[in-house]
Amino acid sequence: MPNRTSQKPEARNLREAERARQAKAHRRRNLMLGAAGLAVAGALPAGITVATNSHTSAQTATSA
């Protein structure tokens, strides 16, 4: 039967492995949120440009 002294390193290793898993999940989540933010930040000016230019083109075509 194992004593408490031999169980301590095993318990420490399990805690460290769980912390490492949580840290990896946290980094992955932050990376995905950052990528989504960049996609939105990039798409917003493009959408505004397209909306602005298409409106101007439609007015020019009807007035001509």
Side-chain angles (χ1 to χ4, degrees), residues 47-61:
I48 291 171
T49 302
V50 168
T52 304
N53 288 341
S54 64
H55 186 313
T56 304
S57 298
Q59 285 181 346
T60 305

Side-chain angles (χ1 to χ4, degrees), residues 14-45:
L14 289 173
R15 283 193 309 271
E16 289 174 0
E18 179 61 20
R19 285 184 186 138
R21 185 194 66 75
Q22 288 177 352
K24 184 178 178 180
H26 191 269
R27 282 190 303 271
R28 188 181 318 119
R29 189 176 322 117
N30 284 345
L31 180 63
M32 295 303 269
L33 286 172
L38 284 175
V40 169
L44 189 62

